[in-house]
Amino acid sequence: MPSPEHPSQQSPKHSSEQAPESPWRRPLLMTEFSALALLIGSMVLLSRMGSESQPISPAWLMIPATASLIVFLSFLGLMYQRWVAAAGNAARSRRHQWLFGILAVVLVSFWGYAVLETWRSLAA
């Protein structure tokens, strides 16, 4: 009776079905997690800086806003790689590009609206 394959050993059938890894995957992951660390660090720093007597200058909020945008765009880039670039034929790929484009515009619009409302609330 043949022994079962070790999970780390892949049969030729499985290796041919996997899509090649995108050259953008690692830089996007590194960018996303670096920006996430910057975002968390800036939020901790800003929470310690502000007080009732001396409010935080709105210019300081550019750091977490920019970091959150970078995290968001890196996430969208990774999602594009997994969803659109992995689509098989041209018709499916075109449809995925349109759907992804609409989704990306809507999500970035929500991010922009949230940042705008944050700045407006500081002015009030």
Side-chain angles (χ1 to χ4, degrees):
M1 184 163 128
S3 64
E5 285 186 16
H6 191 271
S8 66
Q9 297 173 344
Q10 294 181 351
S11 67
K13 178 182 174 189
H14 289 99
S15 63
S16 65
E17 291 176 1
Q18 293 178 349
E21 187 174 310
S22 169
W24 287 97
R25 181 169 159 51
R26 182 165 288 184
L28 283 171
L29 281 170
M30 289 174 31
T31 302
E32 182 177 7
F33 284 104
S34 299
L36 184 60
L38 178 65
L39 174 62
I40 293 170
S42 68
M43 296 301 284
V44 169
L45 180 67
L46 289 176
S47 71
R48 293 182 182 168
M49 280 178 37
S51 67
E52 289 285 330
S53 61
Q54 289 186 329
I56 299 171
S57 169
W60 278 101
L61 294 178
M62 286 301 295
I63 297 170
T66 304
S68 68
L69 180 62
I70 292 170
V71 168
F72 199 62
L73 293 177
S74 298
F75 171 75
L76 286 173
L78 288 165
M79 192 168 74
Y80 179 87
Q81 291 296 315
R82 297 277 273 171
W83 189 29
V84 178
N89 60 19
R92 275 184 46 188
S93 178
R94 192 60 150 167
R95 184 177 22 188
H96 284 205
Q97 286 175 345
W98 275 101
L99 288 172
F100 181 81
I102 292 168
L103 178 67
V105 167
V106 167
L107 291 175
V108 171
S109 298
F110 281 140
W111 176 89
Y113 178 76
V115 170
L116 182 65
E117 286 300 312
T118 301
W119 257 279
R120 280 189 190 164
S121 71
L122 291 175

